[in-house]
Amino acid sequence: MTPITALLAEGFTLSVEMWPPRTVAAGERLAESLHRLQVLEPSFASITYGAAGSTRERTHELVVELHEEGAIVPMAHLVCAAHRRSELVEILSRYREAGIENILALRGDPPLEATAELPQGELHHAIELVDLAKEVGRFCVAVAAHPEGHPDATSLVEDRRHLATKLAHADFGVTQFFFRIEDYLRLVDDLDHLGNVRPIIPGIMPITNVRTVTRMAELSGTAIPTEIVDRVNEVADEPEAVRRVGVEIATELCARLLEEGVPGIHFYTMNQVSATLEICERLDLLPGGARRGG
Ligand code: FAD
């Protein structure tokens, strides 16, 4: 039984985001990644959730499987979008019965046009799901924080205000990935001024593939600074060099975050853990190292 709040209270957390596999081959690759991650002894693994159809069940299966294996503490993502309240209550109740304690409560992105299979969703903002998770199962609940502001927000000031209120209902925050440390520091600072006392774990996405990271940055409203674009573009034709430069960039960012005394680091792995492992080795973040309480 491990609520992530207890891990954060003990000290620095190192965590990873994975997604549930869609095919047998992807399942095999995920199993291999999880095996390789053991050397890192991650504090927890968060498992993404797709609002549509069969992907819903795959998240549940992977979360419960990880929980039963006991090697890593899972955190289940869940979204408001395209769900009736009763469906969310059912999903949360099943997690509670399976012994799952950690939920990342998200709004998700509502479907542009509602259908019978994918309605607009009865809860409109993540904060409502935080409250529901607390009511149904007294879960430890994390929420998303957007260092550069959420793309839908009317203003950064409004976005910060909503985020501070959401954090006050939840237990901790995990940020969207970012490349400029200033964006994270400004987020934490703004939230401090709004009275936030919850830990905000920075999310890091190592660049391993130019096209993928550019698309994800566009979707999430994350800016990729020119300096980083230039460094990656210099080697854009050599996939292995892109990966090497991506690891260097993420290592530099993590080193600065560690200097700032962050509560943890969360890696967006996209189920490929080589870059994460390399960054952690370079930063002496393996178990037993000074930064992991060794
Ligand atoms: P909210 O907190 O609801 O905020 C959304 C917008 O509404 C913001 O502009 C906010 O300012 C505004 N707002 C908030 N409260 C109010 C209010 N009371 N009144 C008016 N406006 C308000 N998506 C998935 O589909 N599956 C995943 O597994 C997933 N994992 C993620 C993990 C992390 C760490 C992050 C950062 C994002 C993840 N996402 C995932 C994406 C996320 O669902 C989207 O970013 C979504 O658009 C917003 O989610 P949110 O929880 O931040 O929403």
Side-chain angles (χ1 to χ4, degrees):
M1 301 283 277
T2 317
I4 293 165
T5 35
L7 302 175
L8 284 162
E10 279 169 17
F12 181 82
T13 61
L14 201 151
S15 52
V16 289
E17 180 186 280
M18 316 290 281
W19 55 50
R22 284 168 190 265
T23 61
V24 173
E28 285 165 5
R29 285 197 296 276
L30 173 65
E32 194 202 327
S33 292
L34 286 166
H35 179 73
R36 292 183 62 207
L37 269 180
Q38 282 177 8
V39 64
L40 210 55
E41 293 179 19
S43 313
F44 63 92
S46 81
I47 309 300
T48 64
Y49 184 84
S54 63
T55 64
R56 295 182 176 189
E57 203 47 41
R58 280 198 284 269
T59 299
H60 184 92
E61 280 165 17
L62 180 56
V63 167
V64 173
E65 195 180 305
L66 291 175
H67 173 69
E68 286 174 353
E69 282 172 7
I72 188 163
V73 174
M75 172 165 77
H77 294 206
L78 187 58
V79 305
C80 307
H83 287 70
R84 295 187 180 84
R85 188 178 186 280
S86 57
E87 287 175 300
L88 294 168
V89 169
E90 191 197 321
I91 293 167
L92 289 164
S93 303
R94 283 176 67 209
Y95 276 135
R96 188 187 52 189
E97 280 155 27
I100 304 305
E101 291 179 287
N102 301 292
I103 301 285
L104 175 56
L106 300 146
R107 183 193 72 176
D109 290 308
L112 293 178
E113 281 183 36
T115 59
E117 205 184 280
L118 283 184
Q120 279 293 349
E122 287 178 358
L123 309 191
H124 299 103
H125 294 292
I127 190 171
E128 296 164 64
L129 184 54
V130 175
D131 291 345
L132 189 64
K134 293 282 182 191
E135 189 187 312
V136 171
R138 294 203 195 91
F139 291 96
C140 167
V141 186
V143 291
H146 305 271
E148 296 165 65
H150 186 272
D152 292 355
T154 44
S155 74
L156 190 59
V157 173
E158 274 295 289
D159 194 48
R160 296 288 205 248
R161 209 169 51 76
H162 290 309
L163 177 55
T165 310
K166 178 170 77 167
L167 278 161
H169 287 227
D171 294 293
F172 67 99
V174 181
T175 78
Q176 185 56 273
F177 69 92
F178 59 92
F179 294 103
R180 297 177 297 221
I181 191 169
E182 295 73 21
D183 291 321
Y184 172 80
L185 297 178
R186 196 174 314 120
L187 168 78
V188 172
D189 210 34
D190 290 351
L191 290 169
D192 276 356
H193 283 101
L194 292 165
N196 175 55
V197 291
R198 308 287 190 233
I200 311 288
I201 303 178
I204 301 297
M205 181 178 287
I207 298 174
T208 53
N209 176 303
V210 179
R211 233 181 26 190
T212 310
V213 89
T214 309
R215 188 169 46 84
M216 296 191 87
E218 273 167 19
L219 288 174
S220 64
T222 302
I224 309 185
T226 321
E227 184 248 342
I228 288 186
V229 173
D230 290 347
R231 276 171 78 178
V232 176
N233 274 345
E234 260 177 46
V235 293
D237 296 336
E238 306 160 57
E240 186 44 38
V242 168
R243 210 192 71 85
R244 178 174 45 75
V245 171
V247 165
E248 276 166 20
I249 291 166
T251 305
E252 289 159 15
L253 180 55
C254 290
R256 292 190 62 199
L257 288 164
L258 290 166
E259 278 167 23
E260 293 289 337
V262 288
I265 295 184
H266 187 68
F267 285 98
Y268 291 97
T269 69
M270 295 191 280
N271 289 8
Q272 307 205 338
V273 296
S274 298
T276 299
L277 288 169
E278 212 174 311
I279 295 161
C280 291
E281 272 169 28
R282 288 184 184 204
L283 292 168
D284 194 18
L285 281 172
L286 264 50
R291 285 187 172 121
R292 298 289 300 279

